[in-house]
Structures are given as C-alpha cells and as structure tokens.
Amino acid sequence: QVQLVESGGGLVQAGGSLRHSCAASGRTFSRYHMGWFSQAQGNEREFVAAITLRGSSTYYADSVKDRFTISRDNAKNTVYLQTNILKPEDTAVYYCAAKYYTGSYYYASPNEYAYWGQGTQVTVSS
C-alpha cells in the first residue's frame, strides 16, 4: 500500500557526508516503522538504522552509531538518513524500507519489512 522513492547517494571522499531521503506515497505513513539497510556487492543486506512510528525510538548498527542519524517527518511522509564521517567500508547500495505496525518489531531484520525503495549507490573513496 506504500511506495518508497529514494534520493541521495553519490561518490564522496572519506570523511564526507551525504543526506538520504525516502518519500512515501499514500496517507498512512505514520502507521509504518521505517528502516535503512545497506547491501555491498556480493554481500547480504544489512541493517543500518530504524525509527518507530512517531520517531520516539531510534536504533543503529554498531558500525554507524555516532556517525549516522535517522529521522522522519510524518507531515512530509519522508524518512531521512544523515551519514557523516563516511568510510570506504560504508560503500554499498542503501535502501529504505517500511513495516506496517503490528505491535511487535524486530527492527534489524530485512524480513520484517514489506516495502522497499529502489536503492541508491554510495561510493566512498579513500
């Protein structure tokens, strides 16, 4: 019931920053938990960050904690991922994802999320 369109990504030098946006269609955005995942070439899709319905709780992978920030603006039907102090190991395709609220939530599992953005490439050079 929701479509996700991502913007952001690009080629940056190590230490640089990027801001990702994920805009959702429909009128029920506030009923979805949102997450960001990354997938490096040849690897499985990995958890990056997640945020609950109203933004009251956020979660981060250890590798990005203190560098990345997830936020959402329900009035704009948009979730954001601010990525700072980027490292070559951050190089991957980044996806936003949505999970309809059911009362339970394992935020770090890709299998929890039914809806996905198209992905944007991030390449961090040294």
Side-chain angles (χ1 to χ4, degrees), residues 109-120:
S109 174
N111 296 330
E112 293 279 358
Y113 298 83
Y115 306 99
W116 293 85
Q118 81 278 12
T120 57

Side-chain angles (χ1 to χ4, degrees), residues 19-20 22 29-37 47-61 68-74 77-82 95-101 104-109 112-113:
R19 183 174 174 84
H20 300 261
C22 176
F29 180 68
S30 63
R31 293 184 177 269
Y32 291 84
H33 300 301
M34 299 297 297
W36 288 94
F37 293 78
F47 169 72
V48 175
I51 189 166
T52 53
L53 302 179
R54 300 176 183 175
S56 58
S57 297
T58 58
Y59 310 92
Y60 296 94
F68 292 8
T69 302
I70 188 171
S71 61
R72 67 190 295 165
D73 186 341
N74 287 354
N77 282 14
T78 302
V79 63
Y80 305 94
L81 184 70
Q82 179 69 42
Y95 299 89
C96 66
K99 170 188 164 54
Y100 192 79
Y101 175 71
S104 62
Y105 183 34
Y106 182 40
Y107 55 83
S109 174
E112 293 279 358
Y113 298 83

Side-chain angles (χ1 to χ4, degrees), residues 59-70:
Y59 310 92
Y60 296 94
D62 288 342
S63 61
V64 307
K65 205 170 188 67
D66 300 323
R67 297 190 298 121
F68 292 8
T69 302
I70 188 171

Side-chain angles (χ1 to χ4, degrees), residues 1 3 5 8 17 21 27-28 30-32 36 39 43 46-47 60 66 70 72-73 81 92-93 110 114 123:
Q1 288 188 249
Q3 291 181 302
V5 179
S17 298
S21 297
R27 300 169 181 82
T28 59
S30 63
R31 293 184 177 269
Y32 291 84
W36 288 94
Q39 187 166 19
N43 292 349
E46 296 183 344
F47 169 72
Y60 296 94
D66 300 323
I70 188 171
R72 67 190 295 165
D73 186 341
L81 184 70
V93 176
T123 302

Side-chain angles (χ1 to χ4, degrees), residues 8-12 18 20 83 86 90-94 120-124:
L11 174 63
V12 299
L18 291 170
H20 300 261
T83 65
L86 286 162
D90 296 320
T91 295
V93 176
Y94 284 73
T120 57
Q121 176 70 49
V122 171
T123 302
V124 184

